[in-house]
Amino acid sequence: MRKLIIDTDPGVDDAMMILAALRAPELDVIGLTTVFGNCPVEIGTQNALRLLELEGHGDIPVSKGCGKALVVPLGEFPANVHGDDGLGNASFEAPKGKPLARHAAQFIIDTCKAFPGEVTLAPIGPLSNIGLALQLCPELPKYVREVVIMGGSCYAGGNISPVAEANIYHDPHAADMVFRADWPVVMVGLDVTQQIVMDNSFLNKLYAAQTPATDFLKRIQPLYQAFHANIYGFTAGEIHTHDPSVTAYLVKPDLFGTLETPVHVETNGRCMGFTIADPLKQWGERRAAKVCTRVNAEGVKNLLYDLLAR
Ligand code: BDR
Ligand code: CA
């Protein structure tokens, strides 16, 4: 089993990613760390606790992290995408548990050091906690097995600006630190996540399973579907599959094709948050990341169905 820390801003699609990961026998979720992004970090932390309790995993620790980026100022939260509560305005009761007293960045450092070479980090929100952990502990990369990120877009255009994907845009300095560090990084970005589209027929089949996970998703996803209809003109309830694609990669990496290339992040100006692939290393030496560029979309959906419906 692969030990996993999910760094998250839950978040409608974060919820599907986390529920699927908790149900995957190949994955051992040993902590959730929270960050601002889809909603304020205080709300995201409540959502993280709620998701764990839903699956009977109230024992897994939650550690609250950054409420804003390392450098750029905090912007508006996307209530039109994820709701004021981060979960589609579905009005849930408060969770029973509490987060740890320790900051998420410190939790990441301590846990990776406790299991050298075993822990995979799965950041599915802005990269502020991971960037801060690298600042506090520059030797962190040597303790980490792999970093599998939902974020970025090298060839597919942006979703928060014409060129930038939201998670990278919200903290471009932290993102560039992560791509610059000497550890194995996999980028699961819009290049693939926008190719994986779940529509009403897929989602209704999923909801028909009536597991706690699928019942929960049925409550939170309508607003997210309405956002996709408004922005992309989707007419059959279609949604892109962003964060859950990381769970799919972790369980079955063969579903994805990758390009090995250094990635640079633009930190300024109107291209802020653009992830630039430099396969010929014309912008200097930097360890290559695996950038997902191809995907077996049906395979990803079938895998997520199997995890969530079982
Ligand atoms: C990413 O941004 C957030 O809105 C989603 O949760 C996902 O992590 C997609 O660009
Ligand atoms: Ca997210």
Side-chain angles (χ1 to χ4, degrees), residues 7-305:
D7 186 63
T8 172
D9 58 339
V12 172
D13 60 326
D14 302 68
M16 188 189 281
M17 182 285 179
I18 292 165
L19 293 171
L22 289 170
R23 290 165 159 259
E26 298 84 352
L27 304 177
D28 177 15
V29 180
I30 58 171
L32 298 188
T33 51
T34 58
V35 65
F36 80 99
N38 293 325
C39 54
V41 69
E42 292 75 18
I43 294 177
T45 304
Q46 296 292 295
N47 293 342
L49 291 162
R50 183 176 283 123
L51 287 161
L52 292 172
E53 290 172 15
L54 176 77
E55 288 292 311
H57 284 296
D59 54 317
I60 295 177
V62 173
S63 185
K64 178 161 77 79
C66 297
K68 59 183 180 54
L70 302 184
V71 178
V72 298
L74 188 60
E76 301 263 304
F77 294 105
N80 60 324
V81 188
H82 296 270
D84 290 312
D85 63 354
L87 294 176
N89 294 331
S91 307
F92 293 101
E93 284 181 12
K96 296 189 182 62
K98 298 241 175 306
L100 302 177
R102 232 177 326 165
H103 191 282
Q106 193 61 50
F107 175 83
I108 289 168
I109 294 166
D110 295 345
T111 311
C112 293
K113 282 188 167 178
F115 302 103
E118 289 184 50
V119 179
T120 295
L121 302 178
I124 56 172
L127 288 152
S128 317
N129 290 335
I130 318 294
L132 182 57
L134 283 168
Q135 283 181 327
L136 292 169
C137 177
E139 73 276 19
L140 179 65
K142 75 172 187 236
Y143 295 102
V144 172
R145 174 170 164 183
E146 193 169 32
V147 186
V148 183
I149 298 170
M150 191 284 130
S153 175
C154 289
Y155 303 111
N159 64 354
I160 196 164
S161 85
V163 297
E165 182 281 329
N167 288 339
I168 305 297
Y169 179 89
H170 286 310
D171 198 335
H173 298 85
D176 198 56
M177 288 169 64
V178 171
F179 284 109
R180 201 186 318 131
D182 185 14
W183 52 10
V185 172
V186 180
M187 184 182 122
V188 184
L190 302 185
D191 302 287
V192 286
T193 65
Q194 290 190 342
Q195 293 182 43
I196 312 161
V197 178
M198 295 179 176
D199 64 7
N200 276 334
S201 101
F202 175 85
L203 291 171
N204 288 337
K205 190 176 107 184
L206 190 65
Y207 301 156
Q210 295 189 325
T211 67
T214 62
D215 287 350
F216 189 88
L217 293 172
K218 185 176 179 182
R219 281 180 70 180
I220 68 173
Q221 293 199 132
L223 181 75
Y224 196 61
Q225 288 178 289
F227 163 77
H228 281 77
N230 290 337
I231 297 295
Y232 300 106
F234 289 168
T235 54
E238 298 99 327
I239 53 174
H240 292 138
T241 307
H242 297 306
D243 295 341
S245 297
V246 169
T247 302
Y249 181 91
L250 291 165
V251 173
K252 255 194 186 183
D254 293 353
L255 292 169
F256 296 81
T258 59
L259 169 71
E260 303 223 2
T261 172
V263 173
H264 298 258
V265 180
E266 179 57 65
T267 53
N268 275 305
R270 71 178 184 176
C271 291
M272 187 175 85
F274 188 11
T275 45
I276 301 149
D278 179 26
L280 302 181
K281 301 196 173 172
Q282 288 160 314
W283 285 1
E285 273 304 315
R286 183 174 276 215
R287 181 167 171 162
K290 286 185 181 168
V291 174
C292 293
T293 52
R294 285 164 293 128
V295 63
N296 172 349
E298 285 307 306
V300 169
K301 286 194 286 183
N302 290 338
L303 173 61
L304 291 169
Y305 175 85

